[in-house]
């Protein structure tokens, strides 16, 4: 009799444990969905992106300003670089949406592009200064067509804490995000666009340094 009672209690405990796990999973899922709400945006951003300190600056950086500091940095081997060596360039890049490499900016942009693999590799190992740059790009694959229900003119939603979008080099379907909340902002835009245009392909690039516009 006692063995039967123990078996019954064991089944009940197992059932209760399973119910608790299901409730926990449901609660976790609901919290994740709720984090997309505007009221929870800042909280979600804090969790997703904790070390970026760049202050967004919507003005692109003139490539010619990079020529001198890049030439100076190039005098040292990358394995001997330190934070102070990179700071002149980082201060120029901080918060910028992209580098303008057109016209008389071409040489400076090209010079930076030549060192960017080593530059990015250094930043990836040093979060304290990487956080001063570190932009995120969102690209929509629209196949060169105009989508009537894109809804981007209504973004961000009224009353939202989100900032106005910054288009990459005046393109229609590429956006740049900088600053502490950049990853969460990019993800919010992805959700917004795919809600309005189901099956729309979007690409998110988290980069260590800015893209160059030639």
């Amino acid at each position: 009799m006692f063995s039967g009672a123990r078996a019954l209690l064991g089944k009940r405990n197992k059932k209760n444990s399973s119910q608790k796990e299901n409730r926990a999973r449901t609660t976790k899922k609901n919290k994740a969905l709720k984090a997309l709400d505007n009221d929870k945006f800042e909280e979600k951003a804090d969790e997703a992106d904790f070390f970026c300190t760049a202050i967004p600056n919507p003005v692109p950086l003139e490539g010619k300003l990079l020529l001198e500091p890049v030439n100076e940095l190039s005098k040292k081997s990358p394995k001997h670089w330190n934070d102070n060596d990179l700071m002149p360039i980082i201060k120029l890049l901080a918060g910028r949406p992209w580098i303008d490499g057109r016209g008389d900016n071409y040489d400076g942009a090209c010079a930076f592009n030549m060192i960017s693999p080593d530059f990015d590799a250094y930043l990836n190992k040093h979060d304290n200064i990487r956080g001063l740059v570190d932009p995120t790009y969102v690209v929509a694959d629209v196949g060169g067509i105009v989508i009537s229900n894109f809804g981007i003119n209504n973004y961000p939603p009224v009353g939202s804490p989100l900032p106005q979008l910054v288009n990459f080099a005046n393109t229609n379907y590429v956006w740049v995000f900088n600053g502490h909340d950049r990853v969460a902002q990019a993800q919010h835009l992805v959700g917004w666009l795919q809600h309005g245009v189901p099956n729309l392909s979007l690409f998110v690039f988290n980069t260590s340094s800015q893209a160059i516009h030639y």
Side-chain angles (χ1 to χ4, degrees):
M1 181 176 70
F2 290 110
S3 61
R6 283 197 296 269
L8 180 60
L9 288 173
K11 289 181 180 179
R12 287 180 178 175
N13 290 336
K14 186 175 181 180
K15 182 178 180 181
N16 290 337
S17 177
S18 178
Q19 289 175 340
K20 287 181 180 179
E21 290 177 0
N22 289 335
R23 284 197 296 269
R25 282 194 292 267
T26 301
T27 300
K28 186 176 181 180
K29 181 179 179 181
N30 289 338
K31 285 182 178 179
L33 292 172
K34 196 173 182 180
L36 289 175
D37 294 343
N38 290 335
D39 292 341
K40 295 292 183 180
F41 175 77
E42 291 184 1
E43 177 183 339
K44 179 176 183 293
D46 288 339
E47 293 174 357
D49 197 4
F50 59 90
F51 67 81
C52 185
T53 56
I55 298 175
N57 181 349
V59 180
L61 176 66
E62 294 179 318
K64 60 186 177 184
L65 299 177
L66 288 167
L67 188 58
E68 183 177 341
V70 167
N71 286 339
E72 186 65 27
L73 182 62
S74 299
K75 294 177 182 178
K76 292 181 68 173
S77 170
K79 66 181 180 181
H80 294 137
W81 286 354
N82 58 48
D83 290 4
N84 291 332
D85 294 327
L86 273 67
M87 283 309 295
I89 297 175
I90 289 173
K91 287 179 179 179
L92 290 172
L93 293 175
R96 301 283 190 160
W98 69 87
I99 298 167
D100 187 349
R102 299 167 298 170
D104 61 353
N105 291 309
Y106 182 82
D107 289 344
C110 283
F112 177 74
N113 194 40
M114 293 298 292
I115 69 161
S116 61
D118 292 321
F119 185 86
D120 290 353
Y122 185 94
L123 293 185
N124 287 334
K125 296 177 182 177
H126 299 81
D127 285 353
N128 58 317
I129 59 172
R130 176 188 171 190
L132 294 170
V133 190
D134 219 26
T136 295
Y137 297 90
V138 175
V139 180
D141 178 17
V142 298
I145 62 174
V146 176
I147 301 177
S148 58
N149 60 335
F150 208 59
I152 203 67
N153 292 332
N154 298 321
Y155 191 90
V158 176
S160 168
L162 295 164
Q164 291 295 318
L165 291 175
V166 176
N167 288 71
F168 176 79
N170 298 318
T171 56
N172 291 325
Y173 301 115
V174 184
W175 301 273
V176 190
F177 298 89
N178 269 300
H180 177 72
D181 302 332
R182 73 201 187 291
V183 174
Q185 290 170 0
Q187 199 62 46
H188 189 277
L189 177 64
V190 168
W192 170 274
L193 292 175
Q194 290 186 330
H195 176 75
V197 186
N199 301 318
L200 175 67
S201 291
L202 291 147
F203 306 91
V204 177
F205 300 92
N206 293 303
T207 65
S208 297
S209 58
Q210 280 76 356
I212 301 173
H213 178 212
Y214 290 110

